[in-house]
Amino acid sequence: MQSLAGKRCFITGGSRGIGLAIARLFAAQGAWCTLIGRDESTLTSAADSLERQGYLQSHYTAAFDVSIPNGWEKLVSDTKLQACDILVNAAGVSQNSLLFNTSKCDVNSTISTNLTGTIWGCKFIIPKMMKQKSGCIINVASLLATHGGRGASVYAASKAGIVGLTRSLAWEVGRFGVRANVLLPGYIKTDMTKDMDKNGELSALIPLGRLGLVREVADAALFLAQNPYAHNCVLNIDGGLSAT
Ligand SMILES: NC(=O)c1ccc[n+]([C@@H]2O[C@H](COP(=O)([O-])OP(=O)(O)OC[C@H]3O[C@@H](n4cnc5c(N)ncnc54)[C@H](OP(=O)(O)O)[C@@H]3O)[C@@H](O)[C@H]2O)c1
């Protein structure tokens, strides 16, 4: 297994939820993390909460909207962030409305954040990894990418796009030493799901009887980051919900 000590990780959505849990676990393994999100102060307190291995290590933040290429261009030209060994694309927004009731603005922001933002992340970071002849991309999709969901048509479409993107990249970049994998979480306890299981009806649908924990998704990301033969993995982490 590859050690994460000294590895440079860029984590979108790293200020909260699943992205932050991945950053915490990777930092605890000795990785240097750059957290990306829109809100500067949430990013700063998230970065401050990460473990540091030795006094020299510092984590970074970059506040920008992942759906806008300018933010990525600035990031890749930042001289203190030249290397990137692991890119985690976890920034995302959800949807809870039937398609005919979904505003044009919500359609656009769901696709542009979840799918286009992930495409930009890969497009801008892959050249760095190709130059190094190594790297690992971990895209965070969703179980809804393969199963769909009522009131989640645009979200599911954005996440299915991420699966297609990752599989195509696996073809494109493997020969340059870059691995690409995608996680398909089920329902995980975060801000995104805080109102979804108030009376336990959602938990009752899940074979393991509960929502997942962010740390459990982070563990799956760690496996993908460390296993040198993990490439084109489409990894469910859903408490068995995909079996139903
Ligand atoms: N929670 C679940 O049950 C679940 C299940 C399957 C998949 N997922 C996926 O897992 C990922 C993380 O979800 P989560 O539950 O951890 O969500 P969360 O707690 O709501 O966190 C979302 C993160 O994304 C960032 N973000 C949102 N829009 C952004 C944008 N346009 N540009 C940059 N950063 C942006 C947020 O920071 P700012 O708001 O400050 O920008 C925040 O850091 C998402 O892609 C989500 O679709 C979640």
Side-chain angles (χ1 to χ4, degrees):
M1 290 299 143
Q2 290 171 344
S3 162
L4 291 199
K7 298 285 183 201
R8 311 279 174 152
C9 306
F10 288 11
I11 303 174
T12 77
S15 60
R16 290 188 277 126
I18 291 172
L20 177 55
I22 293 173
R24 286 204 171 120
L25 188 57
F26 284 14
Q29 305 283 321
W32 303 58
C33 298
T34 297
L35 307 183
I36 298 159
R38 290 164 302 178
D39 186 76
E40 182 96 58
S41 66
T42 326
L43 280 174
T44 305
S45 50
D48 287 346
S49 75
L50 302 183
E51 209 173 293
R52 286 170 174 72
Q53 310 288 325
Y55 72 98
L56 277 178
Q57 188 182 25
S58 44
H59 301 292
Y60 297 101
T61 62
F64 66 91
D65 183 332
V66 293
S67 67
I68 299 174
N70 278 0
W72 287 103
E73 280 161 345
K74 249 178 93 182
L75 183 80
V76 293
S77 60
D78 187 331
T79 48
K80 70 177 181 301
L81 300 173
Q82 279 314 294
C84 178
D85 302 295
I86 300 169
L87 168 67
V88 178
N89 283 303
V93 290
S94 61
Q95 172 206 3
N96 185 16
S97 53
L98 301 177
L99 183 59
F100 68 86
N101 276 332
T102 307
S103 69
K104 285 183 276 188
C105 176
D106 283 352
V107 169
N108 278 332
S109 72
T110 305
I111 296 292
S112 67
T113 304
N114 297 2
L115 179 56
T116 317
T118 302
I119 293 173
W120 290 138
C122 295
K123 175 180 165 48
F124 284 104
I125 300 299
I126 280 172
K128 278 184 187 288
M129 294 178 166
M130 285 170 62
K131 220 191 247 172
Q132 296 161 197
K133 297 188 170 49
S134 71
C136 173
I137 295 166
I138 300 169
N139 290 330
V140 181
S142 163
L143 176 65
L144 300 191
T146 50
H147 285 56
R150 190 174 177 276
S153 53
V154 183
Y155 179 83
S158 72
K159 295 300 188 179
I162 292 175
V163 176
L165 168 74
T166 312
R167 288 192 156 134
S168 305
L169 290 178
W171 270 111
E172 290 184 13
V173 298
R175 69 184 59 208
F176 298 102
V178 179
R179 298 185 291 109
N181 294 292
V182 58
L183 283 172
L184 269 52
Y187 291 98
I188 310 299
K189 275 191 191 169
T190 68
D191 291 348
M192 196 176 268
T193 53
K194 64 179 185 302
D195 298 323
M196 285 190 187
D197 195 36
K198 284 197 167 141
N199 48 15
E201 276 175 19
L202 181 56
S203 288
L205 297 175
I206 301 169
L208 287 184
R210 63 171 177 87
L211 274 66
L213 306 177
V214 289
R215 169 62 202 245
E216 291 163 339
V217 181
D219 269 333
L222 184 64
F223 160 75
L224 296 174
Q226 290 192 310
N227 189 312
Y229 207 57
H231 186 45
N232 194 39
C233 294
V234 182
L235 183 55
N236 289 343
I237 176 89
D238 58 26
L241 190 55
S242 50
T244 66

